[in-house]
Amino acid sequence: MALSDPAARRYADAVFGIAHDTASHDRWLADLDDIAELFAEPTVYGFLVSTRVPQAEKEQILDNALPDLQTAAGSFAKLLVRKRRANLAPQVIEVFRERLNSARGIAEATVTTAVPLSDEARDAVEEAVLRYTSAETVSLSETVDNTIIGGAVVKIGDRIIDGSVRTRLSTMRRSLAQG
């Protein structure tokens, strides 16, 4: 995960605590996703952060745009707007998802390769991630980027394991230039 604003972490931790206490993790995940999606709309975001729009109007828009949110999630969305922290919504859901996966023993990883992975290679990457994280299961996303030439770059949370040929060649080039 990219570095997140400390305030986003605090909000996500608070929401996670509520979700844990009420055993409503999945519901909160869906609600946070809806909030982040709404706040990502440029027109809506501009309206919600405008100092010219009264708070009551902003809250009415939130109620109308997000009618299926549980009460606590609706209050959370209004709190973000009132505290002028609507920009944190994507980070809050990212941190929340990270905490939820950790609690469930799931390691989220992204592997980038020059060519699509074979089933055997995918299994090997998943096994390596399991050993590296001590998680119970792996949620693996795959991307293809031919600029890495070969090998793989694995991102687990905010950690990156770069075994790409491009990086090896770059390291060799620097060593030769210094030596």
Side-chain angles (χ1 to χ4, degrees), residues 80-155:
L80 287 177
V81 171
R82 189 172 48 255
K83 296 286 188 180
R84 298 174 194 220
R85 297 298 198 146
N87 62 313
L88 297 180
Q91 293 177 49
V92 170
I93 190 170
E94 188 176 341
V95 173
F96 182 89
R97 184 175 284 119
E98 178 185 87
R99 292 274 321 267
L100 182 57
N101 284 339
S102 177
R104 290 179 171 171
I106 301 170
E108 271 194 48
T110 302
V111 61
T112 303
T113 56
V115 296
L117 288 174
S118 66
D119 290 338
E120 297 81 29
R122 184 176 304 104
D123 291 343
V125 170
E126 286 179 356
E127 285 180 35
V129 171
L130 285 173
R131 282 192 311 274
Y132 186 77
T133 63
S134 301
E136 296 171 20
T137 59
V138 175
S139 173
L140 187 65
S141 301
E142 299 176 37
T143 59
V144 175
D145 177 0
N146 61 2
T147 65
I148 69 168
I149 304 171
V153 177
V154 180
K155 183 176 183 232

Side-chain angles (χ1 to χ4, degrees), residues 56-97:
E57 282 185 46
K58 294 175 185 180
E59 291 183 9
Q60 186 61 46
I61 290 296
L62 290 173
D63 288 338
N64 292 340
L66 300 167
D68 297 329
L69 291 185
Q70 59 186 315
T71 304
S75 296
F76 177 68
K78 292 171 186 174
L79 175 73
L80 287 177
V81 171
R82 189 172 48 255
K83 296 286 188 180
R84 298 174 194 220
R85 297 298 198 146
N87 62 313
L88 297 180
Q91 293 177 49
V92 170
I93 190 170
E94 188 176 341
V95 173
F96 182 89
R97 184 175 284 119

